[in-house]
């Protein structure tokens, strides 16, 4: 502080600085970015959208497919010209975890490499990289410490908020880097989850989405004072539904093998648990599922979907698919098309298989040619797009409870979500933001629905 007129408080407060984030990958990364921003705020860092104005730049990266990982290096190149002299550059996220040493070799301008399990040490590592010339590498696994240390500040939430309940993965699907970048499955303590959701509700949050790489593998001790056996996600959802102000609960991403009866029952019995389930299957071929180490057959998956639909008939199912995994021939791909037709998805993500270094799939024989992958992906996506449109169109004429989240693009319009996670636009007063209102759906497109506020307000 150089100003002479500053009060004592000003003089001891850290100098104002700016941090710029660029985030790729899954919702967990988006959540982690928020948390890093919260951790840096007490050190005087305000978030800026302008990379050129930042004293600290943090790239929160994704390693899931080759394209995702390569984006980091092109961004690092771009930033060279943009960054303010003297600014610090950090690479965080899954590329940092997987390729830490390679990053500093390929991009010597990087000051700090920090893996997802070390974010709570960010302030200390930033201080260290300021003192020391040369890069600092921190990529150890300490997920439990991270959960505890990142409980601090969070930017003011909106109507809907994510809450991490579980991190890491023990499944080791043969195509996937996540077990290597995020480490073993660790569940966050029940009491901590409950107190975070309570705090969010008090700030106006009406919907929480519980996050985890394998969210339905979450297990936790019952909250203090309740006792009994360990809880699974179904019990957690029911308990969170008791919190005043929380109207909707969702969770993502689930693994088919962790869909236990208690969780399926929760869909039947807990109205606040929304009828939407992201349940990736990856392939419709049992042979390929085996090679992927998914540990279930295509039949198992279809039977599971039947049980879930028996519990909650209107449930919308979404999923992820990989086409062109090693060994996938035309017949195996046709089985994926058949399974897709049989399930009838509401929305899906689908990808060409990407060989990830260090995973078993990368060195398997019978790799599929790129043009075959592209052709299969186009066929699958055409079917999935049609299913999404059909599902959206099926809502026309129905009245859906919509949780309004924000103003829409047009004057007087709000946007919100249906129970099935569809974006819904309707003319409505801004006072309805944060509330659930009944909307008569009169139009449907690929990505959204629109309708009119119904006279009778929904619960
Ligand atoms: N934990 C979740 C999702 C993890 S990654 C699950 O088990 O389903 C999100 C999606 O990325 C995966 O479901 C998969 O469809 C896709 N994916 C992961 N690794 C991939 C790879 N090597 N190539 C192409 N897609 C991949
Ligand atoms: Fe990756 Fe499989 Fe774990 Fe999902 S379950 S994160 S796809 S290893
Ligand atoms: Fe990507 Fe890591 Fe998420 S690899 S998908 S950012 S867990």
């Amino acid at each position: 502080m150089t100003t002479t007129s500053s009060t004592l408080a000003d003089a001891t407060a850290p100098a104002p600085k700016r941090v710029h984030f660029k985030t790729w990958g899954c919702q967990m990364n988006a959540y982690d970015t928020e948390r890093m921003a919260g951790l840096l705020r007490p050190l005087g860092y305000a978030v800026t959208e302008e990379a050129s104005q930042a004293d600290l730049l943090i790239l929160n990266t994704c390693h899931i497919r080759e394209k995702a990982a390569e984006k980091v290096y092109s961004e690092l190149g771009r930033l060279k010209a943009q960054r303010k002299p003297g600014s610090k550059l950090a690479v965080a996220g899954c590329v940092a975890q997987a390729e830490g040493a390679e990053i500093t070799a390929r991009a010597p301008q990087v000051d700090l490499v920090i893996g997802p399990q070390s974010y709570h040490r960010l302030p200390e590592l930033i201080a260290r990289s300021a003192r020391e010339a040369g890069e600092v590498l921190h990529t150890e696994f300490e997920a439990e410490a991270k959960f505890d240390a990142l409980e601090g500040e969070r930017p003011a939430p909106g109507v809907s908020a994510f809450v991490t309940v579980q991190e890491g993965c023990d499944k080791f699907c043969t195509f996937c880097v996540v077990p290597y970048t995020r480490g073993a499955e660790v569940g966050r303590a029940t009491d901590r989850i409950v107190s975070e959701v309570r705090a969010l509700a008090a700030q106006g949050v009406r919907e929480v989405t519980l996050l985890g790489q394998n969210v339905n593998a979450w297990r936790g001790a019952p909250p203090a004072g309740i006792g009994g056996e360990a809880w699974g996600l179904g019990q957690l959802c029911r308990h969170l539904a008791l919190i005043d102000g929380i109207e909707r609960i969702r969770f993502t991403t689930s693994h088919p093998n962790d869909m236990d009866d208690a969780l399926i029952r929760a869909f039947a019995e807990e109205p606040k648990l929304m009828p939407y389930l992201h349940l990736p299957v990856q392939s419709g071929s049992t042979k390929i599922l085996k090679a992927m180490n998914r540990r279930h057959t295509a039949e198992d998956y279809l039977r599971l979907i039947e049980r879930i639909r028996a519990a909650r008939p209107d449930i919308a199912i979404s999923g992820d698919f990989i086409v062109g995994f090693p060994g996938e021939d035309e017949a195996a791909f046709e089985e994926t098309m058949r399974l897709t037709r049989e399930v009838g998805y509401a929305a899906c993500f689908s990808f060409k298989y990407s060989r990830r270094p260090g995973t078993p799939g990368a060195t398997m024989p019978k790799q599929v040619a790129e043009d075959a992958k592209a052709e299969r992906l186009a066929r699958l996506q055409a079917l999935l797009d049609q299913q999404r449109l059909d599902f959206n169109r099926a809502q026309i004429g129905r009245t859906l409870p919509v949780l309004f989240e924000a103003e829409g693009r047009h004057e007087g319009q709000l946007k919100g979500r249906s129970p099935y996670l569809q974006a819904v636009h309707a003319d409505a007063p801004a006072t309805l933001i944060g509330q659930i209102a009944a909307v008569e759906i009169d139009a449907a497109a690929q990505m959204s629905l629109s309708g009119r506020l119904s006279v009778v307000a929904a619960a």
Side-chain angles (χ1 to χ4, degrees):
M1 276 278 158
T2 49
T3 47
T4 47
S5 60
S6 35
T7 62
L8 189 62
D10 286 341
T12 51
K17 283 168 279 189
R18 294 201 170 101
V19 56
H20 172 77
F21 288 97
K22 176 122 193 180
T23 307
W24 293 272
C26 59
Q27 278 143 345
M28 188 76 82
N29 260 13
Y31 181 87
D32 283 346
T33 291
E34 254 183 32
R35 286 312 172 96
M36 284 191 265
L39 209 57
L40 291 170
R41 205 169 306 123
L43 303 183
Y45 283 94
V47 173
T48 174
E49 296 304 313
E50 293 298 326
S52 59
Q53 290 178 7
D55 305 282
L56 172 62
L57 299 102
I58 301 183
L59 306 186
N60 195 3
T61 63
C62 174
H63 200 244
I64 201 82
R65 284 167 292 275
E66 194 179 343
K67 261 197 206 147
E70 278 307 315
K71 281 184 189 151
V72 182
Y73 294 101
S74 50
E75 184 68 15
L76 286 171
R78 237 166 45 87
L79 284 176
K80 249 189 195 168
Q82 281 188 4
R83 326 166 37 183
K84 179 161 125 178
S87 60
K88 291 274 168 199
L89 178 56
V91 177
C94 292
V95 178
Q97 186 65 45
E99 298 183 4
E102 195 186 328
I103 294 169
T104 52
R106 265 177 81 174
Q109 73 270 31
V110 171
D111 299 292
L112 177 64
V113 175
I114 180 166
Q117 272 68 29
S118 306
Y119 295 156
H120 55 289
R121 302 194 52 196
L122 199 56
E124 168 206 332
L125 293 169
I126 287 168
R128 216 166 92 199
S129 89
R131 281 196 307 271
E132 295 165 14
E135 82 287 346
V136 177
L137 202 70
H138 200 88
T139 52
E140 280 151 38
F141 285 113
E142 328 162 60
E144 260 157 313
K146 176 187 162 185
F147 280 142
D148 292 350
L150 292 184
E151 304 242 314
E153 280 191 57
R154 230 186 135 166
V159 172
S160 180
F162 291 108
V163 174
T164 294
V165 305
Q166 183 275 342
E167 189 161 357
C169 180
D170 298 338
K171 300 277 190 293
F172 290 93
C173 301
T174 52
F175 51 80
C176 185
V177 295
V178 172
Y180 311 96
T181 63
R182 294 278 174 167
E185 283 174 8
V186 183
R188 190 173 169 200
T190 317
D191 287 319
R192 305 251 180 184
I193 299 167
V194 173
S195 56
E196 179 169 5
V197 175
R198 277 213 189 100
L200 288 170
Q203 288 176 277
V205 167
R206 297 291 163 259
E207 174 182 85
V208 288
T209 302
L210 309 180
L211 279 187
Q213 263 94 27
N214 260 306
V215 71
N216 57 343
W218 178 86
R219 291 286 173 279
I226 293 188
E229 292 192 357
W231 278 10
L233 195 65
Q235 279 144 307
L236 181 65
C237 288
R238 287 167 187 260
H239 191 71
L240 296 176
L242 301 174
I243 295 173
D244 261 355
I246 296 299
E247 303 297 339
R248 290 181 166 189
I249 298 168
R250 304 178 183 277
F251 55 83
T252 197
T253 295
S254 300
H255 191 288
N257 291 356
D258 291 318
M259 276 316 290
D260 61 21
D261 290 340
L263 187 53
I264 296 175
R265 225 176 313 121
F267 276 111
E269 295 168 6
E270 178 47 68
K272 289 185 182 177
L273 184 57
M274 288 295 100
Y276 183 94
L277 177 63
H278 185 64
L279 196 64
V281 65
Q282 314 296 354
S283 168
S285 151
T286 293
K287 175 182 84 175
I288 297 300
L289 288 170
K290 189 150 197 264
M292 286 176 163
N293 192 33
R294 292 291 291 184
R295 299 171 204 242
H296 63 76
T297 65
E299 256 317 298
D300 293 337
Y301 180 82
L302 289 169
R303 270 202 305 268
L304 176 61
I305 298 285
E306 262 172 36
R307 279 170 53 217
I308 296 165
R309 283 195 166 136
R312 180 80 206 223
D314 68 332
I315 199 161
I317 306 284
S318 79
D320 294 341
F321 289 93
I322 295 177
V323 301
F325 187 77
E328 185 190 79
D329 49 18
E330 203 33 52
F333 173 69
E334 269 309 323
E335 291 183 85
T336 296
M337 296 290 280
R338 201 174 322 133
L339 177 136
T340 303
R341 282 188 209 102
E342 192 158 339
V343 173
Y345 287 95
C348 276
F349 297 101
S350 49
F351 314 96
K352 286 190 279 183
Y353 170 63
S354 170
R355 279 167 99 156
R356 307 308 292 127
T359 61
T363 50
M364 282 182 185
K366 298 201 214 149
Q367 297 283 330
V368 175
E370 277 308 308
D371 54 349
K373 285 184 199 171
E375 189 266 337
R376 285 176 199 166
L377 186 66
R379 270 154 70 196
L380 179 60
Q381 286 186 340
L383 174 60
L384 291 170
D385 285 351
Q386 186 58 51
Q387 291 192 338
R388 184 202 288 256
L389 191 60
D390 290 346
F391 180 72
N392 287 350
R393 284 189 178 145
Q395 312 306 321
I396 296 175
R398 287 186 68 190
T399 299
L400 297 178
V402 172
L403 173 58
F404 284 113
E405 292 176 10
E407 288 181 3
R409 219 177 295 150
H410 307 298
E411 182 87 33
Q413 190 193 52
L414 296 185
K415 63 177 180 199
R417 296 265 170 197
S418 78
Y420 313 108
L421 209 59
Q422 294 148 303
V424 182
H425 301 269
D427 287 343
T431 48
L432 281 185
I433 293 176
Q435 294 193 43
I436 295 172
V439 175
E440 252 178 78
I441 304 301
D442 51 29
Q446 187 67 244
M447 299 305 286
S448 66
L449 309 177
S450 54
R452 286 170 291 123
L453 271 189
S454 164
V455 234
V456 206

